[in-house]
Amino acid sequence: MSVKEILGRFHEIAADPKAMKDKYLSEGREIVLVNYYTPEEIVHSMGAVPMGAWGADVKINEAKKYFPTFICSIVQSAVELGMKGEYAGAKAFIIPSLCDSLKVMGQNWKVAVPSIKFIPMTYPQNRKPEYGAQFTKAGYERVISELEELGLPRFSDEKLKASLSVYEEHNRVMNEVSELMASHPEISNQERSDVFKSAFFMLKEEHTALVKELINALKEQKPGTDKLKIMTSGIICDAPDILKILDENGLQIVCDDVCTETRQYRASYKEKATALDSLVSKFCDMDQDTLLYDADKTRIDYIVEKAKKTGAKGVLLLLTKFCDPEEFDAPMIRKACEKAGLSVNIIEIDRQMVNYEQARTSIETFRDLLNG
Amino acid sequence: MAEEQVKKHRTPPDPNSAKYKLGQIAAKAYQDAFDAKVRGEKIGWCASNFPVEIPETLGIAVVYPENQAAAIAARGFGQQMCEISEADGYSNDICAYARISLAYAKTKDCEGQQVPMPDFVLCCNNICNCMIKWYENLAKELGIPMIMIDIPFNPDYDVPESEVAYVKAQFLDAIHQLEKITGKKWSPEKYKEVMEYSGRSSRAWLAATATAKYEPSPFNGFDLLNHMAVMVTARGKKEAAEAMELLLKEYEQNHAEGKSTYRGEEKYRIMFEGIACWPYLRATSHGLKDRGINMVTTIYADAFGFIYKDFDDMCAQYCKVPNAINLEYARDKRVKLCKENKVEGLLVHTNRSCKLWSGFMPEMSRQIGEECGIPVASFDGDQADPRNFSEAQYDTRVQGLTEIMEANKEG
């Protein structure tokens, strides 16, 4: 397949996760919903397909029965989709309690969508000391036991080891393709987003295979004309309108600090006595993340260093409305970037945006600043 | 400012009363911290549900930014402090306590409530994860160490052993870190003493708040919003134990004499859910009083009775505070309070500053209403940002609640 054809395939998958869910169900596979840093590898090792549930750009009606308006729309729209049957057929939803909105999501989910079992994943914030690792492990063991109770095949550390290999290879290719896409300005921001987003709706071995095809095809393709390089940061960056405005303004995302994009692929597994311990080590080693306790605010340094390293001239912070953790970091990110000579633009986004004209004006000004 | 004017005309409380003594304990905590700072000791800013036993046993003076923010808001300085943080780029969707506190960290001055600047911060997230980000920013901006005790939200009804072990290890770590920072030493004897005072305070608090079972209640529930600050921050002190025992004695005496701190006829008894709207304490209180409604209970009545037998048990208790517990456990605690105190209606503060408390409250309040057979009304507000409250909406909602309670009585 050509680069365009492969990117077209990623787009189909990213734009229609329900079709992927139905495909896997028709093949007799179980589906378990996941988001943020849920232990997908465990689900994978037990034979089920982990599918991302990050909500969608939909109007929130039904979920209003459960949430006040000031809860983030990622959480609200995921519950909305659940209530409307969009996730029908899924066996369970593993929801971590890494922020206050996720905590309430789990509590509301079990009442609002009783047909899809809520499985909590309680992570430690003090994850560096040994007791943090032990608590993480206890959380994973609980997830395993709940999945077994739902009728999934019994957990085996050997199978998990095999799954970790699949995920490690996926991590590797995602980091490779991320760098490679940065050197191909002809790839649109929408296409870049599709590569990351589709990963949530496919078995990782299948996604890896498609990404490898893209890598090989891209290596054969002559890079297009340079554009203005930017870095994005935030929880999500998949709104087609925002991506289109960036493309129309000649801005190219060359790297990101987005939760649903490369933040997923920063940490890897350490060699440990068991595969489960290796999986624990991955979470405990995660850093530079707004959802994880970080007294040194290393995320801020990470953004500055990453932008500089990749040649990004500016940082676009896509601030998810009502996302406390991100909102607390925003002033420090702005200050640090400006100090480092990087332009910063902060745009408030949510899953219910219908008018993007304000965002367009803001991005146009950002472009002018970068050009200046 | 209206609150200030009203306060000026109030008769000062009797210095022998529990109310006065409890007020003095809260005020003394600030002065103790100022004095310690002058003596060259290291002092901290401390999250409200951080295990108070740790600084108390170590003899470290701390102040509580949440209490400070509430005082600033109640005295009419909330908006100006929030706006200082907003000018620095903080979204106005962020908790108003945090915005006020971050503004104070910058200005180091607010006549609403002065506090000494900290040498370290003590954070605990058993009330919300917002605390983590707030304290990270305080520590970073002020260039001081942060001690973090992570007490995760428990999705189960009971506290699992793994959580108690995780929390205990952190308590011990926090003690070691504080010993290193301040040079003070942990004393098991002192801890035992603190634990005993904490137990006495807690038993008296639970018994005092339980006197709401009497009809009429011997107290106005708004009293609890003030007194609970002592339970949160000073329950391990001898003075707190004595003042709480005095409070219990006064409430029992009120009942015996047919008196109450609630002025007027108690026509309806409600539970109030959520943190107070500090900028509109008078408006929210009068909206009830004018209709003969007494707020006889809140979750605080149950929440701050920390009775434990040893260090491990103390760790488990800290995993059970409101906002760290699941829907079913949180609901059952409230149902118990409603039933024991013969509550006729539930008034819910949908608090824009508190995503965790408000985030599953619609479902919880539905379940409480159904189980207790009582009407539920909610209003939009904020614990400290005056821009997020409408007196007209509050009035309409309370009126609606009153009409249903009235119809139920006639029923």
Side-chain angles (χ1 to χ4, degrees), chain A residues 64-72 97-101 103-105 107-108 110-111 118 120-127 129 131-135 138-139 142 146 289-301 319 321-332 334-335 346 348, chain B residues 85 88-95 98-99 102 125 127-134 136-141 146-156 160 162-166 169-170 173 177 323 325-328 350-363 366-367 380:
Chain A
K64 281 183 185 164
K65 190 181 161 194
Y66 294 93
F67 295 99
T69 50
F70 47 85
I71 301 293
C72 102
S97 52
L98 286 166
C99 72
D100 295 330
S101 294
K103 292 175 192 173
V104 303
M105 182 190 193
Q107 298 309 301
N108 283 329
K110 63 188 168 189
V111 185
F118 159 54
M121 176 57 220
T122 309
Y123 279 115
Q125 288 289 345
N126 268 322
R127 61 204 180 279
Y131 53 72
Q134 282 175 16
F135 189 67
R142 185 231 173 96
E146 296 231 20
D289 195 300
T290 183
L291 294 174
L292 306 174
Y293 168 48
D294 177 13
D296 297 325
K297 307 296 275 189
T298 56
R299 175 192 175 205
I300 289 151
D301 299 333
L319 198 56
K321 179 90 178 148
F322 301 124
C323 176
D324 275 356
E326 294 273 321
E327 287 171 347
F328 270 104
D329 283 355
M332 285 190 184
R334 180 187 283 281
K335 215 189 281 179
I346 301 179
E348 206 170 61
Chain B
S85 286
D88 278 343
Y90 287 104
S91 165
N92 61 5
D93 293 328
I94 287 176
C95 162
R99 275 178 284 148
L102 287 161
N125 63 331
I127 51 167
C128 63
N129 273 23
C130 172
M131 297 297 302
I132 304 175
K133 304 304 291 184
W134 166 9
E136 277 179 4
N137 286 20
L138 284 176
K140 183 77 178 172
E141 293 287 4
M146 171 170 173
I147 294 174
M148 165 75 195
I149 291 183
D150 169 36
I151 301 186
F153 182 88
N154 179 18
D156 300 315
S162 58
E163 184 172 337
V164 178
Y166 171 58
Q170 293 178 82
D173 242 3
Q177 289 175 68
N323 285 7
I325 55 176
N326 74 0
L327 169 66
E328 294 77 12
T350 304
N351 179 357
R352 204 177 173 92
S353 270
C354 194
K355 293 181 173 66
L356 184 52
W357 202 326
S358 299
F360 58 94
M361 190 49 70
E363 178 57 24
R366 261 193 299 277
Q367 293 189 12
D380 300 314

